Structures are given as C-alpha cells and as structure tokens.
Amino acid sequence: MPTPEAPRIFPTLRYANAAAMIDWLATAFGFLVHAKYMDGADVGHAELALGSSMIMIGSSRADAFGAIVGEPGHNGGKAIYLAVEDVDVVHARAKAAGADIVQQLTDRAYGSREFICRDPEGNVWSVGTYWPRAGEPAA
C-alpha cells in the first residue's frame, strides 16, 4: 500500500486571547509553534504542530470568517481529538496547565485510553491512544 501524504485536514480555532492560548497549548499538550503572524496585538494566523499534524488558530475578530464560526466558548458539536502515545502523561500535563477535565481517564471497549477536557476558552479536546492512520486498515 502506498505511503499516505502529509495530513490535509487542519482544525482551525479562534480564541479571544490567541497569544495566551498558544502558550497554554504548548504547556498542556506539547504543541510547537510552526508559524505565527501577528496583526497588531492580535494573532492574525498561527500554525501549531504536534508530530506531523497541525492546527491553525487566530484571534477572534468580527470579520467574514468570524461571522461563520462564531465566538469562542461553550458551543456544541465541536471537538478536537489528539492521538498520543502516553495519554497518562498528557493528562497530567493538561491538568497541571489548568485544563477543565470533563471526563477522567477512561479505558474504552475498542482499546483506547482517553480523557476529555476543555481549554481555558471552552473548546473541547479529546485525548487518547486511538490513532487511526490513513492507508492502514481500521482497527
């Protein structure tokens, strides 16, 4: 089977304080800044890497995209899943960074060990050992 290309899906989040959230995401989950473009005091666009995956974030603002995605906070139906090698280590880091742990570490019937938390601005993050890979059969 051919080797899959680099990821093409990039979750994108807007934050009220994107600059502070870049630091928090690095501390809680281990993200590294790949790119950061400022727009005055606001983050116009940032790319944060975790392994070969990336997310894009920016400051919340009243522009056309902001009207589509809405304001940061506790809005339903949105979550990001992080596949990690050692979920217990990431859980401890996230908790120490002040994550709101909404579901403690849980062993799932399908073999994953996971927890769910909210970041300081209310976005939901599911973190676990389930790690689907394009180009490989599903478990």
Side-chain angles (χ1 to χ4, degrees), residues 71 80-81 88 105 109 122 133:
E71 292 294 318
I80 295 175
Y81 183 86
D88 293 87
L105 285 164
R133 292 171 174 88

Side-chain angles (χ1 to χ4, degrees), residues 3-112:
T3 304
E5 298 177 28
R8 290 183 181 218
I9 297 173
F10 302 95
T12 303
L13 301 167
R14 289 254 175 121
Y15 285 102
N17 188 345
M21 287 305 302
I22 289 170
D23 294 337
W24 190 88
L25 291 165
T27 300
F29 300 133
F31 278 97
L32 301 173
V33 176
H34 179 260
K36 183 167 88 172
Y37 305 99
M38 299 301 291
D39 183 10
D42 292 334
V43 176
H45 174 79
E47 299 165 2
L48 305 181
L50 186 66
S52 64
S53 299
M54 281 199 276
I55 62 171
M56 295 186 276
I57 73 169
S59 296
S60 179
R61 53 193 177 274
D63 59 9
F65 187 66
I68 294 168
V69 300
E71 292 294 318
H74 293 89
N75 50 3
K78 299 175 188 168
I80 295 175
Y81 183 86
L82 295 181
V84 299
E85 297 283 346
D86 190 337
V87 71
D88 293 87
V89 167
V90 178
H91 177 267
R93 287 179 64 173
K95 191 171 181 178
D100 174 19
I101 308 295
V102 296
Q103 185 177 78
Q104 292 295 330
L105 285 164
T106 303
D107 294 316
R108 304 284 185 203
Y110 51 89
S112 184

